[in-house]
Amino acid sequence: AARLLVETALERPALYLVARATYRVLKDTTQRAMLHGDGPLPPLIPHQAMRGGSLGSGYRSSDETVYLANGAEIVFRSLEENATEKIRGLTLAGALVDQIEELRFEEGERLYDEILGRLSDARGPMKLLAIANPAGLTHWLYRRFVTEPDRGAATVHFTLHDNAVNLPADYVAAME
């Protein structure tokens, strides 16, 4: 999903959001994979595609923003308490929320709706990509994507076996 967001930003320059429940998990997982790579995998944002052709000139940690050479921007934000203030006022072309099931209860659903409301920049796809693990039958995601799907929502299911080629065989065996 992050790779798709980056490819879109490279094709359609505008402002894109990447978010997760807390800054700590955002920085340790999604942001790390996007800026530095994950294990043996290269960064999802090619450093040569950044402004100045490098991480040093294309990423500003003080405002958690990646500036791409084509003018696109990718902002990293946490969705902790009062997070609506962090995203309110943004005009987004696209967004990615990693592990959206971490956004619980009514506040999580309000944050989701706030992000959807920010997707108004027609230079991009105006879509939200959400990555989720199963959250249970009582989580708002189940209602919004399974029992009463939002108009325009699509769900894509993957299993461990769909990604087995990218994982160590002993890990797959242990998980089975």
Side-chain angles (χ1 to χ4, degrees), residues 40-63:
L41 299 175
L44 294 169
I45 303 173
H47 293 176
Q48 64 271 22
M50 293 182 182
R51 183 177 63 193
S54 71
L55 181 61
S57 57
Y59 169 66
R60 191 163 60 197
S61 61
S62 62
D63 61 2

Side-chain angles (χ1 to χ4, degrees), residues 91-167:
T91 301
L92 300 170
L96 165 65
V97 179
D98 193 6
Q99 303 308 135
I100 196 167
E101 80 281 356
E102 294 172 348
L103 305 180
R104 299 187 180 280
F105 312 112
E106 290 176 19
E107 176 65 17
E109 189 170 9
R110 275 195 298 275
L111 285 167
Y112 172 76
D113 286 330
E114 182 71 30
I115 295 169
L116 288 177
R118 307 312 321 148
L119 295 169
S120 58
D121 187 342
R123 293 178 296 168
M126 298 187 299
K127 292 184 179 182
L128 183 145
L129 298 170
I131 301 169
N133 285 311
L137 302 177
T138 60
H139 196 284
W140 61 267
L141 283 171
Y142 190 77
R143 175 176 39 83
R144 301 274 302 255
F145 287 90
V146 179
T147 60
E148 302 167 29
D150 287 0
R151 194 173 126 234
T155 304
V156 180
H157 294 275
F158 293 94
T159 70
L160 175 70
H161 294 283
D162 294 317
N163 194 35
V165 69
N166 298 307
L167 300 168

Side-chain angles (χ1 to χ4, degrees), residues 17 36 82 86 90 104 121 139:
L17 170 72
H36 305 288
N82 302 317
K86 295 176 187 176
L90 295 177
R104 299 187 180 280
D121 187 342
H139 196 284

